[in-house]
């Protein structure tokens, strides 16, 4: 609510208190990343998005060798649809920071995930 009212100081304070109680809560981390981005604090936002993305490493697997790995990859994204959105948002924040290295990395990752999920969901 504070963020929507652009009362960022209060919003950040509440997020910090929440993170102290639950430092690995994905909803809190993602919410803070989005609020930082809205407040145009892109460097801090990128750091929070990366913290969120690093809660799970399955999205980094670009070499799915077995049917089990493919199944786990597909199930992960099926059960965590906000993760794909977070990668897209991370790409955009990196772009706003003019961080071409991270932008290209996340953009390539985003495209790979979309392509791979499409392949895995259309396989028979």
């Amino acid at each position: 609510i504070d963020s929507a009212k652009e009362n960022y100081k209060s919003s950040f304070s509440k997020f910090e208190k929440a993170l102290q109680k639950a430092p690995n809560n994905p909803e809190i981390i993602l919410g803070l990343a989005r609020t930082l981005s809205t407040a145009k604090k892109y460097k801090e936002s990128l750091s929070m998005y990366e913290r969120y993305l690093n809660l799970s490493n399955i999205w980094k697997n670009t070499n799915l060798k077995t049917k089990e790995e493919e199944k786990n990859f597909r199930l992960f994204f099926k059960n965590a649809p906000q993760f794909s959105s977070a990668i897209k948002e991370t790409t955009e924040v990196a772009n706003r920071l003019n961080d071409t290295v991270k932008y290209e990395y996340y953009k390539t990752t985003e495209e790979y995930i979309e392509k791979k999920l499409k392949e895995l969901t259309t396989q028979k």
Side-chain angles (χ1 to χ4, degrees):
I1 294 173
D2 286 335
S3 178
K5 293 181 179 180
E6 296 184 5
N7 186 357
Y8 299 119
K9 186 175 181 179
S10 174
S11 183
F12 296 143
S13 174
K14 290 175 182 173
F15 274 117
E16 287 303 320
K17 288 177 185 174
L19 280 175
Q20 288 174 2
K21 292 181 180 182
N24 293 317
N25 182 302
E27 292 176 20
I28 295 169
I29 295 169
L30 189 56
L32 178 54
R34 289 175 171 156
T35 300
L36 288 162
S37 179
T38 302
K40 297 182 169 72
K41 293 180 171 276
Y42 299 121
K43 186 175 182 181
E44 297 89 343
S45 177
L46 183 59
S47 176
M48 271 301 128
Y49 274 116
E50 289 178 329
R51 180 172 169 182
Y52 173 80
L53 295 176
N54 286 321
L55 291 173
S56 174
N57 287 327
I58 196 166
W59 64 276
K60 295 178 184 179
N61 189 358
T62 58
N63 191 14
L64 304 173
K65 295 179 183 175
T66 67
K67 289 290 182 191
E68 185 67 22
E69 287 176 330
E70 289 179 347
K71 176 185 167 194
N72 290 338
F73 188 83
R74 184 182 59 78
L75 286 174
F76 173 79
F77 283 98
K78 179 180 177 185
N79 292 314
Q82 73 280 5
F83 211 87
S84 292
S85 297
I87 291 173
K88 289 177 184 178
E89 293 166 23
T90 306
T91 303
E92 180 58 31
V93 169
N95 187 43
R96 289 179 186 252
L97 272 172
N98 293 317
D99 187 331
T100 55
V101 172
K102 287 189 178 183
Y103 171 79
E104 289 298 326
Y105 173 73
Y106 289 116
K107 186 68 176 167
T108 301
T109 301
E110 179 186 329
E111 290 168 354
Y112 168 79
I113 290 169
E114 285 180 22
K115 178 183 171 203
K116 197 57 163 172
L117 289 174
K118 188 174 184 179
E119 286 174 11
L120 294 173
T121 55
T122 58
Q123 285 181 357
K124 293 192 177 200

